[in-house]
Amino acid sequence: MAEAERIIGTPDTPDGGGERAAAAGTPAGPDASGPSGAGEPATPAQRRTGRGRRIAVLFAVAAFAYALDLISKLLVVAKLEHHEPIRLIGDLLELHAIRNPGAAFGFGAAFTVIFTLIAAAVIVVIIRLARKLYSFPWAIALGLLLGGALGNLTDRVFRAPGVFEGEVVDFIAPKGFAVFNLADSAIVCGGILIVLLSFRGLDPDGTVHKD
C-alpha cells in the first residue's frame, strides 16, 4: 500500500505539496493561498478544511456510484434474470443479465478469489490516500474507483457460489463487446480521469508540475 501511495505521488505530509510546487515554480493549488487569494500561505486550519471538503466529495461520489450499481443489480436480478434480453437500441445495445465469475468485462474467470482480494486492496489504498487529498478532480476520480470497486466486491462477498467467490451481475451488452455493469463503468471512468489528470500534471495533493 505504501508503494501504491508513492506511485500516485501524494506527499507524506500536507505541506509536501507546497514544497514541491515551490521548487517547480508553480502554485500549490487552491489550498496554498489564504482567503484573500493573493498568494498568502494557507493556515493549517484552512488546509484541513480544504482537505475535508475533498474527502467529502470523494465519499459522496463513491456512495452515489455504489448506490446506482447496487440498485441496478437488484432490479436486474428481480426483473431481467432468466428472461429474454431487452433491446434498447436495436441490435446495438441490449440489457442481458449474466453472472460473471471473472474481472471487469468477463476477463479471468478462473481467478475469482484473486480479483476479490485485488478489489479489497484497492479500496484500502484509496481510503488511506484520502487523508492526503487536496484536489477536487482527484477526489472525483478516486470516488468513482472506490464506488465501482465496492459495487463489484459486494457481489463477490454476498452472491453465489460463496463468500469471496461470488459471481458479479453484468447486464449492459453492447453489440460486439463484453457484457458489463455500472460498477465497471465507474472504474473505467475513474481510470480515464486519472490518466487525464496525470497528463495535465495535476497531483492528488493539488500541486501542478511540468516535466
Side-chain angles (χ1 to χ4, degrees), residues 112-134:
T112 304
V113 175
I114 294 177
F115 291 130
T116 302
L117 295 176
I118 291 174
V122 168
I123 292 169
V124 172
V125 169
I126 292 174
I127 292 174
R128 284 171 58 89
L129 291 175
R131 59 191 175 88
K132 303 175 183 179
L133 187 63
Y134 290 87

Side-chain angles (χ1 to χ4, degrees), residues 9 11 13-33 47 201-203 205-210:
T13 61
D15 293 329
E19 294 173 0
R20 286 198 291 128
T26 57
D31 292 316
S33 299
R47 288 185 63 81
L202 178 62
D203 289 339
D205 62 358
T207 60
V208 180
H209 62 83
K210 295 181 180 180

